[in-house]
Amino acid sequence: MTIGLLRRASLLGAGLAAALSGAAAAGEYNLTVDRVPVDTGTFTRIGIGYNGATPGPVLRFKEGEDVTINVTNNLSEPTSIHWHGLILPFEQDGVPGISYDGIAPGETFTYRFPITQSGTYWFHSHSGFQEPDGAYGAIVIEPKKREPFRYDREYVVQLTDAHPHSGDRIMRNLKMMPDYYNRQQRTLFDFLKDSKEMGLDAALSERGAWGDMRMMPTDIEDLQGFTPLINGKSSAQNWTGLFTPGERVRLRFINSSAMTYFDIRIPGLKMTVVQADGNNVLPVPVDEFRIAVAETYDVLIQPTEDKAYSVFAESMGRTSSVRGTLATAEGMKGDVPDLRKPPLLTMADMGMAHEGMDHGSMNMSGSTHTMPDGSTMKGMDHSTMNMPGGTHTMPDGSTMKGMDHSTMNMPGGTHAMPDGSTMKGMDHSTMNMGSSDPFYAPGSGLMPAAANGGKFLSYNDLRTQKPLYPHREATREIELRLTGNMERYMWSINGIKYADAEPIRLQYGERVRFKFVNETMMTHPMHLHGMWSILDTGKGKWNPIKHVVSVAPGTTVFMETEVDAPGQWAFHCHLSYHADSGMFRKVIVEGGPEGKAAALPVKTEG
Amino acid sequence: MFTRYAALSALSAFLLASPASAEQLFWGIQAEQLEWRSGEGSEAFAWDADAFVGTDELKVVWRSEAEYATGPNSFETLENQLRLQVPVSTFFDAVAGVRYDSPDEGPHRTYGVLGLHGLAKQWFEVDADLYLSEYPSARFEVEYEGLITNRVTFTPSIELDVPLADDEATSRAAFGPKLEVGGRLSYDLLDRAIAPYVGVHWERTLGESGRLVRAEGEDDDVVSLVVGFRLMF
Ligand SMILES: [Cu+2]
């Protein structure tokens, strides 16, 4: 039997097993978890992979099939596999201590679950730092029905951030010195340059403000020094996908990084985003998009020229980049753009401006804006961009200053808060059309802009093709403040880290509205297992359906969940070292059909 | 009053308790100074290093400071502390522990330690300790890492040691402070693990303590050039 063979399997066995799995009953897959070499060209180390390689194989499932996946642990430590974004029975979700006990060394664990969805997903270890060490692979699920778009060929484009240090060592170094890996700190020379540009007093008071908080405007990637890879290949190793001019190509982007957000573009080509996190969205043509850790985006491109195009991914903090190539023949190379200037966080990212302002529902038709004093701005309709005489009057009759509505035909638009404060640097000039993005704090240093001045994808552009659930009012709201102490490298939710936290209890059948308030200076990709996360972009039943919701610093973002999956689930920031140091919760869904026991006794791993 | 026994029993209670909790245990070693000091007629090897193991809630720190003079081949100063650190605010830990001084010349001394350790505004790294015994003293240390580039760092430091009672056997008089001022220019050679540096170190014994030091035939004012490296792993 295949499993018996696999028990003795090593690399050779893995290859044999892979060959056998083709012959096995439909829907049966085999994976081995192995120590594997990682070679980025700049460094080599031993990491963890599947079937002898990192990234592991691309698992191809069909919607409607029942899969059986035999996972054999060839490591000398426990392991686990979590099927990221898949809706499945909680015992199959693969989180040690929550779904099951994990997979002991030498053991083969068999996962069995139905495939009830389609799209692009991925899988990874949920044990220790095996995922940063390389334990990930891609999942492609073919839909039952025809998709609302066509393509001639497709590629998985899996981004990762290989680091020369092991995950354990990275965590230890971060705990010892939180800026251990930050090599983009501001130096004496930056100070001299700033003094020259803004004057000594301004430069001093600016440094003083940051020094008062003991925070750094360069804290965007707290883990630098990695080599980004596309499908396991560095820029020099140049992953290449072939096309014939005129063909429509589907690229399935997956960000399997431990810690790195990427801004992705293909110079010379427009991309049309057709899926986000595995779900069809109304197509959005873009020049560039940001992919949060653990997200997936499917885009269509149609290169017509017989030439090489670079698929270029720059890390959000601009510390590193990787290119792959789309070409008409192997060996061709396109131009590799330079890294853009690293961004700097602003006081807006520190939540210094407009606490309590509801950024999640901004720019939305008929949305309600909550002001710092608790009053609301009702019925402000930014989506129609049709506000002649454009002064936004607050409930108390004051105005909002500094809002630039210049291209919105709203001359003279000034906005002031009822408490007398102003909204500085808020630029709506390219609203719903380009660089402005309501999912960033107004004045945020992280606000993305397309390199070619074109369209940069925003969450605000995402609109589902087909709602998965009938739209209804949420039955209750749960506030989750994303909290942390950068200096101690402690991350938490509502100020409490996982080890000390009570689980979040949900009732089967309810619709919960989660309110994320990011009180930290970092962006957190929040991931709820087992159930869909309906991101509130103010589109009602057309809100996009996701499994990761990225929350930028200084912002409030809402998502809703139909609580339709009994059991115990993980809910966490997908930045590995944030999740591990406490930005993590167990979610218990109580009740449900068939008396599925939610409070299943589970021993913790190790 | 903190005794060595109290601190050790606290430590053992901590070590016994830790496996039961789900807390992750971290450890690290850091030598801010590990250097050769060359002054007027004195040559010495000196260090100032910490090793810790613990969790977010409680750390056990071994701190060692010494100056080994190569002329007489003896430890002019040798201090070892075992400290427990507990967070008391966002940026500060409270410290309690014991300190044992065992220089080659002069008497050995044991102190209880109470202190604060953390990061003050504007990135000043601060240690403020009270050493309790029949010869109490207070010590205040401030260090600042100024980045010239992202690899070249200038680190000024000040240490002020104030005896609160006379201890003539160690040439210290009440409120006659010892001041140490340093400036070190380092280069991160390997990661942040090894950073060689050059710098200056100035020691000055003031007030009545200065008189006692001079009476011993020693200098109350020493400037040294230093060469060494910072270690962290
Ligand atoms: Cu996070």
Side-chain angles (χ1 to χ4, degrees):
Chain A
M1 202 187 145
T2 322
I3 297 172
L5 181 71
L6 268 171
R7 279 197 182 282
R8 274 167 269 122
S10 60
L11 284 187
L12 179 67
L16 193 55
L20 278 174
S21 71
E28 184 152 352
Y29 304 82
N30 298 299
L31 287 173
T32 60
V33 191
D34 312 295
R35 296 225 147 250
V36 300
V38 177
D39 177 9
T40 67
T42 43
F43 67 87
T44 54
R45 60 174 280 229
I46 297 297
I48 294 173
Y50 296 113
N51 291 358
T54 174
V58 177
L59 295 179
R60 291 184 179 270
F61 302 146
K62 288 188 188 71
E63 185 180 356
E65 88 175 299
D66 288 320
V67 296
T68 300
I69 308 164
N70 307 304
V71 179
T72 301
N73 182 4
N74 292 331
L75 307 177
S76 53
E77 60 193 85
T79 192
S80 59
I81 293 184
H82 163 60
W83 314 97
H84 184 106
L86 298 202
I87 302 300
L88 37 62
F90 85 94
E91 304 90 330
Q92 307 297 315
D93 191 47
V95 182
I98 293 183
S99 332
Y100 70 156
D101 287 340
I103 309 172
E107 190 194 343
T108 296
F109 183 88
T110 300
Y111 289 89
R112 287 193 182 85
F113 51 88
I115 301 294
T116 63
Q117 64 204 102
S118 64
T120 307
Y121 303 91
W122 60 296
F123 61 98
H124 62 83
S125 170
H126 229 286
S127 298
F129 297 111
Q130 292 174 4
E131 184 223 278
D133 288 345
Y136 34 65
I139 297 174
V140 170
I141 309 175
E142 194 184 299
K144 252 187 198 161
K145 290 189 200 148
R146 210 180 70 76
E147 284 169 312
F149 48 84
R150 280 176 301 122
Y151 53 94
D152 302 300
R153 64 169 92 203
E154 62 165 301
Y155 293 105
V156 165
V157 185
Q158 191 168 18
L159 291 146
T160 54
D161 54 353
H163 203 283
H165 292 173
S166 74
D168 286 324
R169 184 163 163 210
I170 289 167
M171 187 78 235
R172 196 165 71 74
N173 283 336
L174 288 170
K175 280 285 182 186
M176 193 161 32
M177 189 191 212
D179 59 344
Y180 192 97
Y181 293 102
N182 189 345
R183 292 289 184 183
Q184 265 188 354
Q185 300 182 40
R186 292 195 296 174
T187 65
L188 177 69
F189 289 105
D190 295 324
F191 177 72
L192 294 176
K193 189 164 151 271
D194 288 353
S195 315
K196 208 171 155 194
E197 280 168 14
M198 59 172 102
L200 181 64
D201 283 356
L204 272 174
S205 73
E206 199 265 345
R207 296 297 151 118
W210 286 98
D212 256 7
M213 296 190 300
R214 285 152 279 193
M215 286 176 175
M216 287 188 268
T218 58
D219 259 341
I220 291 161
E221 284 166 14
D222 56 22
L223 178 61
Q224 299 170 14
F226 54 88
T227 301
L229 305 174
I230 289 180
N231 294 335
K233 295 206 156 81
S234 64
S235 287
Q237 295 162 339
N238 195 18
W239 170 81
T240 301
L242 297 180
F243 69 89
T244 307
E247 270 185 330
R248 227 188 280 250
V249 184
R250 175 183 192 167
L251 301 175
R252 298 174 179 268
F253 286 97
I254 304 168
N255 188 355
S256 299
S257 297
M259 293 296 283
T260 312
Y261 279 57
F262 286 103
D263 290 348
I264 296 171
R265 65 190 201 260
I266 307 175
L269 283 183
K270 201 89 178 168
M271 302 179 276
T272 301
V273 178
V274 292
Q275 279 188 357
D277 289 2
N279 290 285
N280 290 333
V281 293
L282 275 187
V284 194
V286 300
D287 294 283
E288 192 167 347
F289 67 94
R290 177 166 293 174
I291 187 167
V293 169
E295 283 186 325
T296 71
Y297 285 97
D298 286 40
V299 310
L300 296 183
I301 52 166
Q302 195 168 18
T304 49
E305 285 177 66
D306 182 357
K307 63 173 252 195
Y309 294 91
S310 292
V311 178
F312 189 64
E314 250 173 318
S315 72
M316 180 167 74
R318 308 286 184 253
T319 67
S320 205
S321 68
V322 58
R323 66 88 190 258
T325 302
L326 295 166
T328 51
E330 284 291 344
M332 292 170 73
K333 283 176 195 166
D335 290 339
V336 182
D338 292 331
L339 271 176
R340 280 169 285 181
K341 205 168 151 269
L344 287 177
L345 298 174
T346 66
M347 289 298 153
D349 296 306
M350 298 297 107
M352 302 308 277
H354 311 296
E355 274 177 55
M357 213 177 144
D358 172 351
H359 302 293
S361 60
M362 258 165 74
N363 282 10
M364 281 167 236
S365 177
S367 66
T368 302
H369 293 210
T370 309
M371 297 296 125
D373 65 352
S375 67
T376 53
M377 262 164 75
K378 284 189 199 106
M380 206 177 147
D381 184 348
H382 290 244
S383 64
T384 58
M385 292 198 226
N386 185 14
M387 299 195 286
T391 301
H392 292 209
T393 307
M394 302 293 123
D396 65 347
S398 63
T399 52
M400 279 167 81
K401 277 183 206 120
M403 261 178 101
D404 178 359
H405 289 243
S406 53
T407 62
M408 287 171 57
N409 295 325
M410 294 194 296
T414 327
H415 297 217
M417 302 295 138
D419 63 354
S421 68
T422 52
M423 282 168 72
K424 275 181 212 132
M426 215 176 144
D427 182 355
H428 287 234
S429 59
T430 49
M431 219 156 81
N432 295 340
M433 293 179 284
S435 64
S436 174
D437 190 320
F439 283 89
Y440 292 87
S444 168
L446 294 174
M447 194 87 75
N452 64 356
K455 169 69 187 166
F456 199 106
L457 181 76
S458 162
Y459 269 180
N460 209 30
D461 302 316
L462 300 178
R463 184 181 281 262
T464 190
Q465 278 267 357
K466 189 167 166 274
L468 283 184
Y469 303 92
H471 189 61
R472 60 163 170 153
E473 282 290 303
T475 44
R476 66 176 165 132
E477 183 175 294
I478 296 176
E479 183 174 285
L480 300 174
R481 288 179 298 110
L482 308 179
T483 45
N485 178 339
M486 187 69 182
E487 200 42 44
R488 297 184 186 276
Y489 212 78
M490 288 162 60
W491 300 97
S492 52
I493 293 172
N494 294 335
I496 302 167
K497 61 182 182 178
Y498 182 49
D500 306 325
E502 287 296 312
I504 296 170
R505 290 177 188 276
L506 306 179
Q507 294 299 319
Y508 183 88
E510 67 177 338
R511 184 179 176 110
V512 174
R513 183 169 172 85
F514 289 100
K515 178 185 185 183
F516 296 110
V517 184
N518 190 348
E519 296 181 355
T520 75
M521 78 294 250
M522 303 213 76
T523 313
H524 304 286
M526 300 304 295
H527 171 48
L528 172 63
H529 292 216
M531 288 161 279
W532 288 112
S533 299
I534 307 168
L535 172 67
D536 188 350
T537 65
K539 292 169 185 66
K541 70 175 191 174
W542 305 107
N543 277 334
I545 299 146
K546 301 188 85 272
H547 48 60
V548 169
V549 166
S550 179
V551 187
T555 67
T556 298
V557 171
F558 292 92
M559 73 174 208
E560 295 191 4
T561 292
E562 281 287 341
V563 182
D564 57 359
Q568 307 189 135
W569 305 98
F571 190 7
H572 60 96
C573 172
H574 220 287
L575 302 184
S576 286
Y577 305 96
H578 291 193
D580 192 78
S581 61
M583 200 177 263
F584 197 117
R585 282 294 184 273
K586 182 201 269 190
V587 167
I588 297 176
V589 175
E590 291 168 337
E594 302 159 32
K596 279 231 173 199
L600 185 93
V602 173
K603 284 172 277 169
T604 43
E605 188 187 14
Chain B
M1 182 65 123
F2 275 83
T3 65
R4 217 177 346 164
Y5 173 76
L8 286 176
S9 61
L11 170 62
S12 57
F14 162 71
L15 290 175
L16 285 173
S18 60
S21 73
E23 280 302 311
Q24 275 174 285
L25 218 53
F26 296 98
W27 62 274
I29 294 169
Q30 198 168 359
E32 282 297 326
Q33 296 172 12
L34 189 62
E35 66 195 19
W36 180 257
R37 287 181 189 165
S38 178
E40 302 122 48
S42 74
E43 304 275 300
F45 181 68
W47 71 77
D48 182 350
D50 277 358
F52 81 90
V53 59
T55 65
D56 290 337
E57 277 75 38
L58 179 64
K59 283 186 181 66
V60 182
V61 181
W62 170 42
R63 170 168 294 184
S64 185
E65 272 188 66
E67 198 171 13
Y68 182 82
T70 49
N73 280 331
S74 69
F75 277 104
E76 303 250 290
T77 61
L78 178 59
E79 264 183 50
N80 283 286
Q81 297 186 36
L82 203 55
R83 299 153 70 98
L84 297 178
Q85 259 178 237
V86 181
V88 288
S89 76
T90 308
F91 296 104
F92 278 88
D93 286 353
V95 175
V98 285
R99 165 179 152 192
Y100 180 60
D101 288 9
S102 51
D104 285 334
E105 310 295 323
H108 294 189
R109 295 269 184 256
T110 306
Y111 306 84
V113 183
L114 281 178
L116 275 177
H117 169 82
L119 190 69
K121 287 188 172 188
Q122 306 304 331
W123 304 99
F124 289 102
E125 185 123 15
V126 173
D127 267 295
D129 292 319
L130 203 56
Y131 297 107
L132 305 168
S133 77
E134 54 185 306
Y135 310 107
S137 66
R139 187 183 291 172
F140 190 65
E141 293 171 58
V142 188
E143 196 181 270
Y144 182 83
E145 289 191 2
L147 298 187
I148 311 292
T149 74
N150 264 290
R151 285 195 170 265
V152 178
T153 310
F154 180 66
T155 311
S157 60
I158 291 184
E159 183 175 325
L160 190 67
D161 203 332
V162 187
L164 301 174
D166 291 337
D167 183 4
E168 293 208 17
T170 62
S171 309
R172 282 138 49 100
F175 305 103
K178 184 173 155 192
L179 178 69
E180 292 182 42
V181 179
R184 288 167 179 81
L185 189 69
S186 62
Y187 176 76
D188 288 350
L189 186 67
L190 181 72
D191 237 17
R192 294 199 195 269
I194 299 178
Y197 63 78
V198 294
V200 280
H201 184 90
W202 175 55
E203 278 184 38
R204 176 84 206 262
T205 315
L206 299 151
E208 190 60 16
S209 298
R211 199 190 57 80
L212 290 174
V213 166
R214 288 194 299 275
E216 286 282 309
E218 303 211 4
D219 240 331
D220 61 355
D221 188 358
V222 183
V223 180
S224 316
L225 291 177
V226 302
V227 182
F229 46 93
R230 290 197 301 182
L231 274 186
M232 183 195 265
F233 60 92

